[in-house]
Amino acid sequence: VRHTIQVRVRYADTDAAGIVHYAQFLAYLEAARADALRALGLVRESIVAFSLGTMVLDATLRYRSSARFDDLLDVAAWVTEVSATRFRWVYEIHRNSDRTLVLTAETEQCWSDGVGCSREASLPPWLDEALQRLGDVSPS
Amino acid sequence: VRHTIQVRVRYADTDAAGIVHYAQFLAYLEAARADALRALGLVRESIVAFSLGTMVLDATLRYRSSARFDDLLDVAAWVTEVSATRFRWVYEIHRNSDRTLVLTAETEQCWSDGVGCSREASLPPWLDEALQRLGDVSPS
Amino acid sequence: VRHTIQVRVRYADTDAAGIVHYAQFLAYLEAARADALRALGLVRESIVAFSLGTMVLDATLRYRSSARFDDLLDVAAWVTEVSATRFRWVYEIHRNSDRTLVLTAETEQCWSDGVGCSREASLPPWLDEALQRLGDVSPS
Amino acid sequence: VRHTIQVRVRYADTDAAGIVHYAQFLAYLEAARADALRALGLVRESIVAFSLGTMVLDATLRYRSSARFDDLLDVAAWVTEVSATRFRWVYEIHRNSDRTLVLTAETEQCWSDGVGCSREASLPPWLDEALQRLGDVSPS
């Protein structure tokens, strides 16, 4: 399941070159993750638990075209891999007005024990189920 | 005219106390200003010109209650004073779910000549008209 | 005691007008507060407790002159009022190179019980002592 | 040449999990790039021209350990590849107190013509020279 949110670029998101600052996109991706869970019907407590309880292990961002103040962006997010303890999201951001590709990205996350990735504990069942639904993962 | 936008608190907006960081609200207020102009029908070029061409002279923020990740906030903005060169916005932010007052604020802005407030030039007519419509200002 | 830190303006701090975004200054002020406590010799645990345990009640910012990318700023902070439960900081930011006044500001903070200002509890003694030393407050 | 700057984690940089937000590191890396050029003796105009004139094509971040408020971080940056139009920086962030590795990262940048990477123009000579000095690149 590919989930898309719309983000209006705020003036605060821009930098002196007049474009969205390269760090700001990570906040957009994060917002798309949270909204994807919300769209599945997860309650607020679960969305908060997801955001607090998972660690980002790596992020890869490919900047394809600049975005500017007041642009309306479509930020799509979906899940590509879910293992017992880790999962990977993929993202695409397009400018809504002309479908220009602005950014593609991937992040890998794990379930944390507060210090690092939990080695023993697997993903909570509610999260595993949600991630399966957000991925193109055939049930075994 | 009182204009209200809805802002979903992003995880990136929070700080280590688990609440929206005190600087972040200024980005919400700015987004409300831009959207108020958009709602009046101003074209993108005007919204960009407004954001680039005006300087904030002062900002006063009163933090009434904390906001948290995933809160849906109603950010209301309106104009209270418009002089030949300056104008003042007032803001109220409420949590949507229970109408708790989160923040009240005011900002004063002027039309800039690129260095400071323009002393000679008055507000561009399109901006003056827009601000008049956003204020409770009786025409003289 | 007036405490001053130096802040180099990062590119990320700027906006599309090429100047430091109006919200960013609140992060500079916050950094000056923390460093003022550090300069008094407070241990890290106290600085963290201060930052997590106090709430900002209001902030007033007066933007005097723009700051730009790569500017070196002197951010001065001191305490003007300390009551049993509240205290007020005052700030001045100057551009280091030419002593241009960039910003003046004030914030009022209280000691929090996690929801709002603590009504019963007064400031912890270590904080009260630190704030007294940072203020021009004559000992009674 | 490996250039290192020290960054004190600000409270504003943290998120609700009490750690440095995953987007914030990109601002630290950017600050290290600018300071590396400053350390080479480049004038401010060149540092501004570098920051405005280059585009980030991709960024890869590997989060190794969390950083927390008040941590002092050593942010090291150096250049690994310089072609006629593109160049690659590599970064390592360590916590100063115990040398824990916090983050490794890479970014690729190009010289921009304002819209995308300039196809015709090569890097300005002053930038090419600076990047050569920041890299372990043998002159051909």
Side-chain angles (χ1 to χ4, degrees):
Chain A
V1 179
R2 186 183 172 116
H3 184 72
T4 302
I5 63 166
Q6 292 199 325
V7 171
R8 176 75 68 178
V9 172
R10 296 176 185 159
Y11 191 68
D13 301 347
T14 61
D15 62 27
I19 61 176
V20 174
H21 187 258
Y22 84 138
Q24 183 60 34
F25 292 103
L26 284 168
Y28 298 167
L29 305 184
E30 186 176 69
R33 290 197 296 271
D35 202 68
L37 298 180
R38 197 179 296 113
L40 289 181
L42 267 67
V43 294
R44 180 200 177 119
E45 285 69 26
S46 296
I47 297 168
V48 172
F50 168 75
S51 298
L52 285 168
T54 56
M55 286 181 57
V56 178
L57 297 172
D58 64 58
T60 306
L61 302 148
R62 294 185 182 277
Y63 302 89
R64 309 293 185 140
S65 181
S66 300
R68 294 180 178 275
F69 170 54
D70 203 56
D71 276 349
L72 188 63
L73 303 178
D74 293 327
V75 183
W78 64 100
V79 172
T80 51
E81 296 172 36
V82 185
S83 74
T85 56
R86 300 187 176 195
F87 47 96
R88 181 164 285 274
W89 294 73
V90 182
Y91 313 85
E92 282 182 11
I93 301 183
H94 288 86
R95 187 180 300 117
N96 182 271
S97 61
D98 60 4
R99 311 306 308 153
T100 300
L101 181 63
V102 169
L103 182 99
T104 55
E106 291 188 41
T107 56
E108 186 163 24
Q109 290 177 281
C110 69
W111 190 249
S112 166
D113 58 10
V115 180
C117 290
S118 175
R119 294 185 186 181
E120 301 171 8
S122 52
L123 297 177
W126 60 266
L127 179 56
D128 183 65
E129 184 191 332
L131 294 170
Q132 295 289 348
R133 289 171 64 194
L134 288 167
D136 286 331
V137 182
S138 308
S140 57
Chain B
V1 178
R2 185 182 172 117
H3 184 72
T4 302
I5 63 165
Q6 292 199 326
V7 171
R8 176 75 68 177
V9 173
R10 297 176 185 159
Y11 190 69
D13 301 345
T14 61
D15 62 28
I19 61 176
V20 174
H21 187 257
Y22 84 139
Q24 183 59 35
F25 291 103
L26 284 168
Y28 298 168
L29 305 184
E30 185 175 71
R33 290 197 296 271
D35 202 67
L37 297 180
R38 197 179 295 114
L40 288 181
L42 268 66
V43 294
R44 180 201 176 118
E45 286 68 26
S46 296
I47 296 168
V48 172
F50 168 74
S51 298
L52 284 169
T54 56
M55 286 181 57
V56 179
L57 297 170
D58 63 58
T60 306
L61 302 148
R62 294 184 182 277
Y63 302 90
R64 310 291 184 141
S65 182
S66 300
R68 293 181 178 276
F69 169 54
D70 204 53
D71 276 349
L72 188 64
L73 303 178
D74 293 328
V75 183
W78 64 101
V79 172
T80 53
E81 294 173 39
V82 185
S83 75
T85 55
R86 298 186 177 197
F87 48 95
R88 181 163 284 274
W89 293 72
V90 183
Y91 313 87
E92 282 182 12
I93 300 182
H94 288 86
R95 187 180 300 117
N96 182 272
S97 61
D98 60 4
R99 310 305 310 154
T100 300
L101 181 62
V102 169
L103 182 99
T104 56
E106 291 188 42
T107 56
E108 186 164 23
Q109 291 178 279
C110 70
W111 189 249
S112 166
D113 59 9
V115 179
C117 290
S118 175
R119 294 185 186 180
E120 300 171 9
S122 51
L123 297 177
W126 60 267
L127 179 56
D128 183 64
E129 185 191 331
L131 294 170
Q132 295 289 348
R133 290 169 65 192
L134 288 167
D136 285 332
V137 181
S138 309
S140 56
Chain C
V1 179
R2 185 182 173 118
H3 183 72
T4 302
I5 63 167
Q6 292 199 325
V7 171
R8 176 75 66 176
V9 173
R10 296 176 186 159
Y11 191 68
D13 300 347
T14 60
D15 62 27
I19 61 176
V20 174
H21 187 257
Y22 84 139
Q24 182 59 36
F25 292 103
L26 284 168
Y28 298 167
L29 305 184
E30 186 175 70
R33 292 197 296 271
D35 201 67
L37 297 181
R38 195 179 297 114
L40 288 181
L42 268 66
V43 294
R44 180 199 177 121
E45 286 68 27
S46 296
I47 296 168
V48 172
F50 168 74
S51 298
L52 285 168
T54 55
M55 286 181 56
V56 178
L57 298 171
D58 63 59
T60 305
L61 302 149
R62 293 184 183 278
Y63 302 89
R64 310 291 185 143
S65 181
S66 300
R68 294 181 178 276
F69 169 54
D70 204 54
D71 275 349
L72 188 63
L73 303 177
D74 293 327
V75 183
W78 64 100
V79 172
T80 53
E81 295 173 38
V82 185
S83 75
T85 55
R86 299 187 177 197
F87 48 95
R88 181 163 285 274
W89 293 73
V90 183
Y91 314 86
E92 281 182 12
I93 300 182
H94 288 86
R95 186 180 302 117
N96 182 271
S97 61
D98 61 5
R99 310 306 309 153
T100 300
L101 181 62
V102 170
L103 183 101
T104 56
E106 292 187 42
T107 56
E108 186 164 24
Q109 291 178 279
C110 70
W111 189 249
S112 165
D113 59 9
V115 179
C117 290
S118 175
R119 293 185 187 180
E120 301 171 8
S122 51
L123 297 177
W126 60 266
L127 179 56
D128 183 64
E129 185 191 332
L131 294 170
Q132 295 289 348
R133 290 170 64 193
L134 288 168
D136 286 332
V137 183
S138 308
S140 57
Chain D
V1 179
R2 186 182 172 117
H3 184 71
T4 302
I5 63 165
Q6 292 200 325
V7 171
R8 177 74 68 176
V9 173
R10 297 175 185 160
Y11 191 68
D13 301 346
T14 61
D15 62 27
I19 61 176
V20 174
H21 186 258
Y22 84 138
Q24 182 60 36
F25 292 104
L26 284 168
Y28 298 167
L29 304 184
E30 187 175 70
R33 289 196 298 271
D35 202 67
L37 297 181
R38 196 180 296 114
L40 288 183
L42 268 66
V43 295
R44 179 200 177 120
E45 286 67 27
S46 296
I47 297 168
V48 172
F50 168 74
S51 298
L52 284 168
T54 56
M55 288 181 58
V56 179
L57 297 171
D58 63 59
T60 306
L61 302 148
R62 295 185 181 277
Y63 303 90
R64 309 290 185 144
S65 181
S66 300
R68 295 182 177 275
F69 170 54
D70 204 54
D71 275 350
L72 188 63
L73 302 178
D74 293 327
V75 183
W78 64 100
V79 172
T80 52
E81 296 172 39
V82 185
S83 75
T85 56
R86 300 188 175 195
F87 47 96
R88 180 163 286 273
W89 293 73
V90 182
Y91 313 86
E92 282 183 10
I93 301 182
H94 288 86
R95 187 180 301 117
N96 182 272
S97 61
D98 61 5
R99 308 308 308 154
T100 301
L101 181 62
V102 169
L103 182 100
T104 55
E106 291 187 42
T107 56
E108 187 164 23
Q109 291 178 280
C110 70
W111 189 248
S112 166
D113 59 9
V115 179
C117 290
S118 175
R119 293 184 187 179
E120 301 171 9
S122 52
L123 297 177
W126 59 266
L127 179 55
D128 183 64
E129 184 191 332
L131 294 170
Q132 296 288 350
R133 289 170 64 192
L134 288 167
D136 286 330
V137 182
S138 308
S140 55

